[in-house]
Amino acid sequence: MRRRVLFHRNFLGYTGGHGKVFDYYQHALAHAGWQPVVWFRHGAEHRDNPWRQHAVPGETLWRPDAADALFLAGRDWQSYPEDIPGVPVINLVQHVRHADPHSPAHAFLGRRAVRICVSHAVADAIRSTGRVNGPVEVIEAALRMPASLLPPSRRHGVFIGALKQQALGRELARRLIAAGHAVDLCDNFVARDDYLRRMGSADIAVLLPNVTEGFYLPALEAMALGCATVVPDCIGNRAYLQPERNALTPLLHVDSLVAAVERLREASLAAALRHAGRETADRFSLESERAAFHRILDRLHLLWQP
């Protein structure tokens, strides 16, 4: 009989964080010994909810006491205020900000859990607090690209992913247009497939992360799509970033970003970045992520022991 691992989600719109939790749901579903179930506080029928698109049923009631294990991420801890003896908790940690004492997530580090960090940078950050209760494992985040996404018939221009840096993205777009570039600025939420389709149609992708991130998948997605990628260092992306080999890494400043894009007028540099970027993206497969998570599920009872 398969054991039940209960997921918790508060879905108000698609984010990369939700997408990665969905990947782990799918990984658990593929394990012969575990049956994942998801409970939604909000958003079960949201049109961008990946669970809805895959017709995955949810739980009617939030019953952590009836589960064999819990899978929590972000602020899911708020719906699990007291530990239930004998119920292991798997905690997916997706950002270095969990180590920041001013972050609401920081307080949860003292709760016992088997923590899966999406990068070594995240693991190093939370370990440095001295507060972590339970083992820390690292499974670097993997790419999940839609099977329906077809390669573009032709590429042109510069795509700017600026959802997290809207003002900077708009100023960068203005400067690049003035310099003669065709620009597709994406500074608001769009459906993920549309976002990837737009990015994949560009010669160059400029991604503007927060100053710190846990991993930052958009730049790796750009590499997988064959774009010449420009992305500032944001700590978490060091898991895959090789400056000057698979991406240009200017400062998070408009002058530096413009200069990086101008460098890509050199066709040989752009071609070299695209080639190395594709090779990099191939290393971050869902199959590798799934196998690593299955190894944790297989020894969860050992990891949970004091």
Side-chain angles (χ1 to χ4, degrees):
M1 183 176 178
R2 298 173 78 185
R3 290 169 288 175
R4 297 171 80 252
V5 54
L6 178 60
F7 286 66
H8 179 285
R9 288 286 82 190
N10 183 29
F11 194 94
L12 302 177
Y14 186 87
T15 63
H18 283 306
K20 185 48 59 186
V21 173
F22 179 71
D23 289 342
Y24 273 87
Y25 182 98
Q26 295 285 80
H27 296 336
L29 191 63
H31 192 288
W34 289 90
Q35 175 63 52
V37 179
V38 61
W39 182 87
F40 290 100
R41 178 169 296 279
H42 297 104
E45 297 302 319
H46 195 289
R47 62 185 179 86
D48 293 329
N49 186 332
W51 285 268
R52 176 178 178 270
Q53 293 171 6
H54 288 75
V56 175
E59 287 280 86
T60 304
L61 299 175
W62 171 241
R63 287 286 310 277
D65 58 309
D68 296 297
L70 298 178
F71 190 102
L72 305 179
R75 299 191 187 186
D76 292 342
W77 285 104
Q78 293 172 341
S79 292
Y80 185 60
E82 295 185 10
D83 296 340
I84 299 173
V87 179
V89 176
I90 301 168
N91 179 205
L92 182 65
V93 186
Q94 301 195 63
H95 206 292
V96 296
R97 65 170 167 255
H98 287 247
D100 182 351
H102 301 291
S103 167
H106 184 265
F108 305 135
L109 293 177
R111 300 285 300 277
R112 179 158 177 76
V114 176
R115 286 178 169 82
I116 298 175
C117 297
V118 298
S119 69
H120 288 281
V122 172
D124 291 344
I126 66 170
R127 286 186 182 119
S128 72
T129 67
R131 292 177 49 88
V132 179
N133 184 357
V136 176
E137 305 280 334
V138 176
I139 302 178
E140 290 182 323
L143 283 173
R144 173 173 52 86
M145 304 298 282
S148 60
L149 195 64
L150 298 176
S153 56
R154 67 186 186 91
R155 296 176 181 272
H156 68 280
V158 181
F159 174 87
I160 302 174
L163 181 62
K164 296 181 177 182
Q165 300 284 350
Q166 294 175 326
L168 177 59
R170 290 164 190 159
E171 175 61 13
L172 177 61
R174 187 189 68 78
R175 293 274 298 272
L176 291 178
I177 290 170
H181 294 276
V183 172
D184 178 7
L185 172 64
C186 184
D187 60 352
N188 288 297
F189 279 107
V190 296
R192 182 168 182 265
D193 285 7
D194 292 337
Y195 177 89
L196 293 175
R197 192 172 297 109
R198 287 168 61 180
M199 183 160 63
S201 297
D203 289 316
I204 299 167
V206 182
L207 291 313
L208 305 180
N210 289 320
V211 174
T212 61
E213 298 276 358
F215 190 85
Y216 197 61
L217 276 169
L220 192 60
E221 291 169 338
M223 294 179 188
L225 291 168
C227 302
T229 302
V230 177
V231 60
D233 175 24
C234 59
I235 300 179
N237 60 1
R238 295 173 191 172
Y240 58 84
L241 209 56
Q242 300 170 38
E244 298 293 320
R245 182 178 181 275
N246 62 11
L248 299 184
T249 57
L251 298 176
L252 192 63
H253 183 275
V254 67
D255 290 339
S256 185
L257 291 161
V258 169
V261 173
E262 289 298 318
R263 286 184 62 196
L264 292 174
R265 291 186 187 274
E266 182 186 334
S268 60
L269 174 60
L273 293 180
R274 292 187 186 101
H275 178 74
R278 286 194 182 97
E279 287 186 339
T280 299
D282 287 344
R283 293 193 288 108
F284 292 86
S285 69
L286 280 176
E287 291 75 18
S288 297
E289 185 180 72
R290 178 167 297 179
F293 183 46
H294 283 191
R295 288 193 290 271
I296 288 176
L297 290 175
D298 289 341
R299 56 193 174 96
L300 184 59
H301 63 293
L302 296 174
L303 291 170
W304 190 247
Q305 291 177 1

